[in-house]
Amino acid sequence: MSTPHVPLDEKAPDEQVSGEQVLNVDSHGRKLSLAHRLYTGDVSWDFVGRKKLWFIISGVVIGLAVLSLLLRGLNLGIEFKGGADFSAPTQVNAQTIGTVTDAVMDTDLPEMDATTVLTIGSGEVKVQSRTLDDAEVKKVRAAIAEATGAQVDDVTYSLIGASWGEQITKKGVQALVVFLVLVSLLIWIYFRDWKMSIAALVALMHDLILTVGVYSWLGFTVTPSSLIGVLTILGYSLYDTVVVFDKVKENVADLPKQARSYSEAANHAVNQVLVRSLNTTIIGVLPVAALLFAGAFVLGSGPLKDLGLALFVGMVAGAYSSIFIATPLLAWLREREPQMKEHRANLARRAERKAQRAHHGEAVAAGAGAPVQRTTRRTQNGRNQTVRTTRSARKGK
């Protein structure tokens, strides 16, 4: 990848004489964007170098998620734990959910606190509760009919067994395992690097545990919509990680010939795709946030809330993990390889020899009484290199 030439600033002739280039303007004097400066390396944030900090933060968050799952568990919906499901025709309005909920609670039946009331469109209300016996079913149907103004016979009832929920859970776990295996194979085949597969899987598991943990923290009901949302965000997280890894693969090509380590090349890749990742995440999260708001605060319950929460948390976590988890972990794994250790040792020896030559040149110039003038110039890899010239050398030009 060639670095675009950055011209000298015509308004700073003194700086041009000394050889220093202005790096934040283009040939027309317009200020370069942050995305451009990140891509060329003029501006760079050390994501990979601070990997310990990111790992500690992620470890704490994941630990809290696991702790919540162990202590509080998940609020499983009727589809997973079984129960009674009632439906009644009615004209839905802002008071429908509250009115039906109060009517069911007024039956004074035990263990009805977990009852869920939601509306389907503008002409149906649905009530989900624990498993009821025949007498309790009649009492609840009568209460729903009175609250909605429908006939008792119009209030339909169905019993959902817990075995059906167990089947859904089993199929979901099977789909997750198959997905992870296929993802590992796909990344290994494309990048020819099994360490990228490991880093991508760790990032996926991070997003999965964090999303499920948020459900436990907030007490949201886990429904089939939640399961769909979780599987969806795994694909999104994988996409974001592959984008970063593709740029890493490009930057580390012929790495032994480069004057930077694997970690530096990987960090440059993260900076190059940073703006793209942020823009993609923001564009994707905005409509999801609208779905979550509508489901949680407008409708109060239903599949929109369950799906919206999984997508919102998963998309944000996916963008985070691709930058702060997957790439730093990949760099850490690769830097432990013998060839990478040898490459870093070669870079250290080159830097030491360069420093010795510079020190010797300054000592010779100082002994001759010729002051040293330092200027900077732009190298092909986009970095600034210090150039020292003595007064005698400048007079000889």
Side-chain angles (χ1 to χ4, degrees):
M1 179 184 67
S2 61
T3 303
H5 174 68
V6 181
L8 300 176
D9 188 353
E10 298 179 356
K11 296 183 180 180
D14 295 337
E15 293 180 356
Q16 293 181 34
V17 172
S18 64
E20 183 178 358
Q21 293 181 341
V22 180
L23 304 179
N24 60 347
V25 296
D26 60 11
S27 58
H28 301 287
R30 294 174 301 202
K31 187 174 181 179
L32 296 174
S33 65
L34 177 61
H36 178 84
R37 300 177 67 189
L38 285 170
Y39 194 88
T40 58
D42 294 337
V43 177
S44 179
W45 287 300
D46 191 9
F47 295 103
V48 175
R50 295 187 175 93
K51 56 181 176 293
K52 291 184 178 180
L53 175 61
W54 314 135
F55 292 166
I56 290 174
I57 294 175
S58 299
V60 171
V61 174
I62 295 300
L64 292 175
V66 174
L67 183 63
S68 179
L69 290 171
L70 294 176
L71 298 180
R72 301 184 57 183
L74 291 172
N75 182 20
L76 298 178
I78 188 175
E79 295 86 358
F80 293 98
K81 63 182 180 181
D85 183 85
F86 299 87
S87 297
T90 186
Q91 185 63 39
V92 175
N93 53 50
Q95 292 77 33
T96 299
I97 293 179
T99 301
V100 176
T101 302
D102 293 339
V104 174
M105 293 296 105
D106 290 342
T107 59
D108 295 329
L109 295 177
E111 301 179 4
M112 298 293 288
D113 294 337
T115 300
T116 301
V117 180
L118 52 93
T119 57
I120 307 297
S122 60
E124 184 180 357
V125 64
K126 183 181 289 290
V127 178
Q128 296 176 340
S129 69
R130 61 173 177 82
T131 303
L132 305 174
D133 57 31
D134 292 340
E136 291 174 332
V137 169
K138 293 179 180 179
K139 199 170 184 179
V140 172
R141 289 181 69 183
I144 295 175
E146 182 180 355
T148 59
Q151 298 295 323
V152 175
D153 293 339
D154 293 333
V155 179
T156 60
Y157 161 76
S158 60
L159 178 64
I160 299 176
S163 59
W164 188 75
E166 293 176 358
Q167 292 178 4
I168 292 180
T169 304
K170 183 179 179 180
K171 295 296 183 181
V173 173
Q174 291 176 352
L176 177 62
V177 172
V178 172
F179 175 81
L180 294 178
V181 172
L182 293 179
V183 163
S184 303
L185 293 175
L186 177 63
I187 294 178
W188 179 79
I189 292 173
Y190 180 75
F191 293 107
R192 299 293 181 180
D193 188 349
W194 62 269
K195 292 183 174 66
M196 285 189 173
S197 298
I198 293 179
L201 287 180
V202 171
L204 287 175
M205 295 306 298
H206 166 275
D207 301 340
L208 175 63
I209 296 174
L210 180 57
T211 303
V212 176
V214 170
Y215 266 87
S216 178
W217 288 340
L218 300 179
F220 273 42
T221 303
V222 178
T223 65
S225 297
S226 306
L227 184 60
I228 294 172
V230 169
L231 295 178
T232 301
I233 59 101
L234 291 180
Y236 179 88
S237 175
L238 175 65
Y239 165 78
D240 216 23
T241 301
V242 169
V243 168
V244 181
F245 281 1
D246 192 58
K247 182 57 65 175
V248 172
K249 179 183 178 182
E250 177 182 334
N251 287 356
V252 299
D254 297 326
L255 186 63
K257 300 179 182 179
Q258 301 182 32
R260 59 182 179 181
S261 65
Y262 190 98
S263 294
E264 293 172 338
N267 189 74
H268 187 204
V270 175
N271 281 273
Q272 287 177 309
V273 302
L274 180 62
V275 174
R276 174 181 176 179
S277 297
L278 292 177
N279 290 338
T280 303
T281 302
I282 293 174
I283 294 173
V285 163
L286 286 178
V288 172
L291 287 176
L292 179 59
F293 179 83
F297 299 102
V298 178
L299 300 178
S301 61
L304 281 183
K305 183 180 71 172
D306 304 328
L307 180 62
L309 179 64
L311 292 177
F312 182 84
V313 176
M315 292 176 70
V316 175
Y320 170 85
S321 64
S322 64
I323 296 174
F324 297 96
I325 301 296
T327 308
L329 178 59
L330 171 64
W332 180 77
L333 292 173
R334 291 299 306 271
E335 290 287 12
R336 297 167 64 88
E337 297 176 357
Q339 58 269 32
M340 293 303 167
K341 293 181 180 179
E342 182 181 357
H343 179 60
R344 292 200 308 273
N346 291 335
L347 293 178
R349 286 192 291 267
R350 294 176 193 172
E352 183 179 359
R353 289 194 297 266
K354 183 178 179 180
Q356 290 175 353
R357 289 195 298 266
H359 179 73
H360 178 72
E362 291 181 357
V364 172
V372 176
Q373 178 180 353
R374 292 180 174 83
T375 60
T376 59
R377 64 184 177 88
R378 186 72 176 275
T379 61
Q380 292 183 352
N381 60 3
R383 299 187 179 186
N384 293 334
Q385 180 178 11
T386 302
V387 180
R388 294 168 294 278
T389 56
T390 63
R391 179 183 300 172
S392 59
R394 294 195 301 275
K395 288 182 178 180
K397 292 183 179 180

